[in-house]
């Protein structure tokens, strides 16, 4: 028997930067300031029509000239703003009746102070990097005649195995990939200003679009 899918509603937001927050005890807490996006429901996916149950939300309003015609037609038919980003999150089929197209996702149900959330975003790109920076490898000796200060060294034997195994750690592009940081504490949430403060750092530079959802860890299951 398969375990039922746990509903984890998501919110879209924009990273504004990092700051300090002083709690009631006077302690300085490093926080990331996130501005919530529109988070308007743009579509409902049903098992009868689409084969699965999910809710689609939109964010990042753009001008009409910046979107393709299929997306413009889909949003215009529903009298919705021109969103450049659409994101889905899975829900239980019996929960679909509580969502309606055009409504705004209730952020207060997800961003409860003292609870934990998981944050996903595109990490900062570092470009093409070597093994010392990318994998924290040791550098070579700086003795007389050495020419392997930061080179990878031997990557495989000549006789055996006679080849380089797939997945071998080699110099490559660093960053610019989806990263999820789990169990970030919601320090403060200002619903009027659509600002949320999360303890610690989240992926990406200032202005990066990120996804926030309730933590999958056990201490959040009763409140999600």
């Amino acid at each position: 028997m398969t375990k039922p899918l746990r509903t984890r509603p998501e919110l879209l937001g924009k990273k504004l930067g990092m700051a300090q927050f002083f709690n009631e005890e006077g302690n300085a807490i490093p926080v990331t300031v996130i501005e919530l996006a529109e988070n308007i429901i743009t579509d409902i996916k049903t098992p009868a029509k689409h084969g699965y149950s999910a809710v689609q939300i939109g964010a990042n309003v753009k001008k009409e000239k910046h979107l393709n015609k299929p997306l413009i037609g889909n949003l215009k038919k529903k009298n919705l703003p021109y969103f450049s980003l659409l994101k889905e999150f899975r829900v239980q089929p019996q929960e679909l009746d509580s969502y309606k197209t055009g409504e705004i996702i209730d952020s207060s149900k997800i961003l409860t102070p003292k609870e934990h959330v998981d944050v996903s975003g595109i990490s900062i790109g570092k470009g093409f990097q070597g093994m010392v920076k990318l994998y924290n490898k040791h550098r070579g000796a700086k003795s007389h005649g050495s020419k392997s200060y930061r080179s990878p060294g031997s990557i495989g034997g000549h006789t055996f195995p006679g080849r380089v195994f797939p997945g071998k750690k080699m110099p490559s592009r660093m960053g610019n990939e989806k990263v999820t940081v789990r169990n970030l504490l919601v320090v403060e949430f200002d619903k009027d200003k659509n600002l949320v403060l999360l303890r610690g750092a989240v992926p990406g530079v200032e202005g990066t679009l990120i996804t926030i959802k309730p933590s999958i860890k056990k201490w959040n299951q009763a409140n999600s």
Side-chain angles (χ1 to χ4, degrees):
M1 182 177 179
T2 59
K3 188 177 181 179
L5 178 68
R6 180 188 166 199
T7 298
R8 300 174 68 197
E10 301 181 6
L11 292 174
L12 299 175
K14 181 174 66 173
K15 179 180 177 180
L16 298 183
M18 295 198 68
Q20 282 185 334
F21 179 83
F22 292 90
N23 59 12
E24 297 176 354
E25 291 78 18
N27 299 323
I29 302 175
V31 295
T32 301
V33 184
I34 298 174
E35 180 183 19
L36 297 182
E38 295 80 7
N39 292 300
I40 296 177
I41 299 176
T42 57
D43 199 3
I44 306 294
K45 306 293 184 180
T46 60
K49 185 176 180 180
H50 303 92
Y52 65 99
S53 56
V55 175
Q56 184 187 81
I57 57 177
N60 199 14
V61 179
K62 292 287 187 179
K63 294 182 179 179
E64 183 176 351
K65 65 179 181 179
H66 294 149
L67 305 180
N68 55 41
K69 290 184 179 180
L71 185 56
I72 293 174
N74 183 28
L75 296 174
K76 186 180 293 186
K77 181 174 61 176
K78 302 172 184 175
N79 295 322
L80 295 173
Y82 294 137
F83 295 121
S84 63
L85 179 65
L86 301 177
K87 184 76 167 57
E88 290 184 5
F89 63 87
R90 302 291 291 269
V91 299
Q92 295 291 348
Q94 60 271 20
E95 298 176 357
L96 291 176
D97 295 336
S98 59
Y99 298 96
K100 293 183 180 180
T101 303
E103 289 185 348
I104 301 176
I105 296 292
D106 188 3
S107 55
S108 60
K109 295 182 179 180
I110 304 175
L111 301 174
T112 305
K114 308 305 180 181
E115 291 293 346
H116 294 75
V117 293
D118 296 341
V119 179
S120 301
I122 303 299
S123 62
I124 299 175
K126 303 289 186 179
F128 193 89
Q129 297 294 337
M131 300 182 65
V132 175
K133 182 177 179 67
L134 187 57
Y135 298 111
N136 199 27
K137 296 287 186 179
H138 291 284
R139 62 166 177 80
K142 283 193 173 183
S143 56
H144 179 70
S146 174
K147 298 180 180 180
S148 59
Y149 291 161
R150 300 174 70 91
S151 63
S154 175
I155 61 174
H158 175 70
T159 304
F160 179 82
R163 64 188 179 93
V164 179
F165 289 111
K168 178 70 177 178
K169 292 182 178 180
M170 299 287 287
S172 62
R173 188 186 70 177
M174 183 178 183
N176 194 28
E177 60 185 2
K178 184 179 179 180
V179 176
T180 299
V181 180
R182 302 192 184 277
N183 308 327
L184 293 182
L185 180 68
V186 179
V187 178
E188 192 74 17
F189 174 48
D190 192 336
K191 191 173 183 179
D192 296 332
K193 297 181 180 179
N194 282 334
L195 294 178
V196 58
L197 305 182
L198 301 180
R199 178 166 186 163
V202 304
V205 298
E206 288 79 1
T208 298
L209 197 66
I210 62 173
T211 303
I212 308 173
K213 51 190 171 182
S215 175
I216 201 171
K217 295 296 183 180
K218 60 182 179 180
W219 53 68
N220 257 16
Q221 291 185 1
N223 300 326
S224 59

